Amino acid sequence: MEVKLKHDSQAEQTYRINIGISARCHPFLAVVAAYVEAYDAIITGSVGQYMTLSQQIGGDGKVVIQQVQTFREQNRSSPLFNHLSAISESVPALGWVAMAPKPGPYVKEMQDAAQFYTNRVLKDYKEKDQKHVDWVKAYLSIWTELQNYIKQHHTTGLAWSKSGPVASASAANPAGGAPPPPGPPPPPMDFSGSSGGGGDQGPDTRNALFASLNKGADITKGLKHVPKDQMTHKNPNLRTQTGPVCTGPKPFSSPKTEATAAPSRKLPPVLELDGKKWKVENQEGVQGMVISDTELKQVVYAFKCNNSTLQIKGKINSITLDNCKKLGLVFDDVVGIVEVINCRDVKVQVLGKVPTISINKTDGCHVYLSKDSLECEIVSAKSSEMNVLVPGNDGDYTEIPVPEQFKTVWDGKKLVTTCTEIAG
């Protein structure tokens, strides 16, 4: 994405805004910091290769990653759904700039979430189309290189340049015309208490501010020494006194939106067919929901359904349970996949056939197989308390837990991973 900013009526300059934040905090300065050059190397390297391959693959793979998570949910029938899911699961890594004190491990966690789907892409295209294999390698290398970049330049959080040319108020506008675009703002500061009348105090105040910031370590010489009898940690009685409490700046942390503080708004329940998708959303304590008028090309998407039961009759393309809690699902036949994502304490029973059941980021999932679905492939990741129940000749089910713990060793040539059993 490119944003054009006009400097005057005769000329305009284009600044490219890359993923994350722009590393060029002061694009009008001639000196480029080392962390800027390292960031540019990622953009022109692995990101550039990824974009090129996405263009070559075409289709949904070349859509701009702006509303990627919504786009993925709206295109579950896409032949590139696994590609879209890999991006959707890992794209929150771009928020590393707001993570402290360990942004690197946060990016690694998002990369691991993508690998569940990139492995599917490799499985589907390894023997068919090398471009898709190269696409996976290029995409994952973006996050690997970003982790290395963070480790080298922003280990404990986004760091601002502490050296280099001084960005004074006059240097910001050398030609006297409209000022060039500023870089990302520093952490917010509250000047309301010192401004008196409020508002901008003019260039003198701004120049004084730049001068004070450029003092470096000498800026602490103006601080007033606090006697021991006024230190609250050595005088508990001071902590009980009433009156205004002066606090310093809070530690850097992820910004909280109003939605997290405000009470959650209860959305209306939905059970409807929208095109080829059956939407089952926001159902609370509803027993006996049935979808019977189905077709092979249709999919079912159940979102935030709690303490409810859902039965799907006939043969359909796929089923997805997303953010559901204590939901019971019974279905006849699925020709594609049944996905359980971000759920808790759900039960899934197949009466006919299903080739694949995927369990991802779920705690508590019971899968009841039929005699016709014993060849079903069950894929799980980041989940716990999973059990598969297999029918016997007498009609009774045998419950078998899905392994959650693994042991990996190096055999001299490759990593060998085996399941481990926990005695208890």
Side-chain angles (χ1 to χ4, degrees), residues 68-76 81 277 301 322:
V68 61
Q69 292 174 323
T70 302
F71 183 81
R72 173 238 190 181
E73 294 301 330
Q74 293 174 346
N75 292 273
R76 286 188 164 270
F81 177 72
K277 178 191 290 188
Y301 179 65
D322 187 359

Side-chain angles (χ1 to χ4, degrees), residues 250-395:
K250 297 181 179 180
F252 183 79
S253 60
S254 302
K256 294 183 179 180
T257 61
E258 292 184 3
T260 58
S264 58
R265 182 167 58 95
K266 190 174 182 179
L267 299 175
V270 176
L271 177 54
E272 64 181 12
L273 178 61
D274 183 6
K276 298 179 182 179
K277 178 191 290 188
W278 282 97
K279 293 182 178 180
V280 188
E281 301 175 356
N282 310 310
Q283 300 287 346
E284 293 283 345
V286 181
Q287 306 296 322
M289 289 184 292
V290 179
I291 298 177
S292 57
D293 188 13
T294 58
E295 297 178 7
L296 182 60
K297 62 183 179 181
Q298 294 175 348
V299 301
V300 174
Y301 179 65
F303 178 70
K304 287 190 176 180
C305 296
N306 304 325
N307 299 295
S308 304
T309 60
L310 172 64
Q311 182 178 3
I312 303 171
K313 297 182 179 181
K315 182 181 294 186
I316 62 173
N317 185 275
S318 66
I319 302 173
T320 298
L321 306 184
D322 187 359
N323 272 282
C324 296
K325 183 178 179 181
K326 294 185 178 179
L327 174 68
L329 169 68
V330 180
F331 64 93
D332 291 341
D333 296 282
V334 167
V335 297
I337 186 174
V338 174
E339 291 186 282
V340 182
I341 306 172
N342 293 317
C343 293
R344 290 185 59 188
D345 300 327
V346 295
K347 295 182 179 181
V348 177
Q349 181 175 7
V350 52
L351 302 179
K353 292 184 178 180
V354 58
T356 306
I357 296 178
S358 171
I359 308 172
N360 193 15
K361 298 180 182 178
T362 293
D363 295 324
C365 181
H366 287 67
V367 178
Y368 293 79
L369 298 178
S370 65
K371 292 183 179 180
D372 295 332
S373 61
L374 294 180
E375 296 182 359
C376 171
E377 182 182 77
I378 299 177
V379 182
S380 61
K382 293 187 176 182
S383 299
S384 63
E385 301 178 33
M386 300 170 289
N387 295 278
V388 177
L389 292 94
V390 181
N393 295 329
D394 55 359

Side-chain angles (χ1 to χ4, degrees), residues 62-343:
K62 65 178 182 180
V63 176
V64 176
I65 309 172
Q66 186 175 10
Q67 296 179 338
V68 61
Q69 292 174 323
T70 302
F71 183 81
R72 173 238 190 181
E73 294 301 330
Q74 293 174 346
N75 292 273
R76 286 188 164 270
S77 60
S78 169
L80 299 179
F81 177 72
N82 288 327
H83 299 65
L84 300 179
S85 297
I87 300 172
S88 175
E89 289 294 320
S90 56
V91 77
L94 299 182
W96 71 268
V97 294
M99 300 300 296
K102 295 181 179 181
Y106 171 73
V107 175
K108 178 64 166 61
E109 182 181 350
M110 296 300 102
Q111 182 186 26
D112 291 343
Q115 285 188 312
F116 176 79
Y117 291 98
T118 55
N119 287 340
R120 289 187 178 183
V121 177
L122 293 176
K123 180 181 177 181
D124 293 341
Y125 291 94
K126 189 174 183 180
E127 305 296 335
K128 298 179 181 179
D129 193 339
Q130 183 63 30
K131 285 198 301 288
H132 293 262
V133 177
D134 294 337
W135 182 90
V136 168
K137 294 179 180 179
Y139 185 67
L140 293 180
S141 68
I142 294 175
W143 305 126
T144 301
E145 292 184 17
L146 182 58
Q147 292 171 54
N148 294 334
Y149 170 79
I150 293 172
K151 184 177 181 181
Q152 182 176 0
H153 299 285
H154 309 280
T155 308
T156 57
L158 186 62
W160 297 90
S161 177
K162 299 179 182 178
S163 60
V166 177
S168 63
S170 59
N173 190 11
M189 300 178 66
D190 184 7
F191 294 102
S192 59
S194 59
S195 60
D200 191 1
Q201 297 298 315
D204 293 339
T205 301
R206 290 196 297 269
N207 289 332
L209 174 61
F210 278 117
S212 64
L213 292 176
N214 290 327
K215 288 181 181 180
D218 292 338
I219 196 172
T220 59
K221 292 182 179 179
L223 299 179
K224 181 180 178 181
H225 177 70
V226 180
K228 292 184 178 180
D229 59 353
Q230 296 182 19
M231 297 181 180
T232 56
H233 69 285
K234 293 189 176 182
N235 296 273
N237 292 333
L238 294 177
R239 295 196 293 266
T240 62
Q241 295 178 3
T242 59
V245 179
C246 297
T247 60
K250 297 181 179 180
F252 183 79
S253 60
S254 302
K256 294 183 179 180
T257 61
E258 292 184 3
T260 58
S264 58
R265 182 167 58 95
K266 190 174 182 179
L267 299 175
V270 176
L271 177 54
E272 64 181 12
L273 178 61
D274 183 6
K276 298 179 182 179
K277 178 191 290 188
W278 282 97
K279 293 182 178 180
V280 188
E281 301 175 356
N282 310 310
Q283 300 287 346
E284 293 283 345
V286 181
Q287 306 296 322
M289 289 184 292
V290 179
I291 298 177
S292 57
D293 188 13
T294 58
E295 297 178 7
L296 182 60
K297 62 183 179 181
Q298 294 175 348
V299 301
V300 174
Y301 179 65
F303 178 70
K304 287 190 176 180
C305 296
N306 304 325
N307 299 295
S308 304
T309 60
L310 172 64
Q311 182 178 3
I312 303 171
K313 297 182 179 181
K315 182 181 294 186
I316 62 173
N317 185 275
S318 66
I319 302 173
T320 298
L321 306 184
D322 187 359
N323 272 282
C324 296
K325 183 178 179 181
K326 294 185 178 179
L327 174 68
L329 169 68
V330 180
F331 64 93
D332 291 341
D333 296 282
V334 167
V335 297
I337 186 174
V338 174
E339 291 186 282
V340 182
I341 306 172
N342 293 317
C343 293

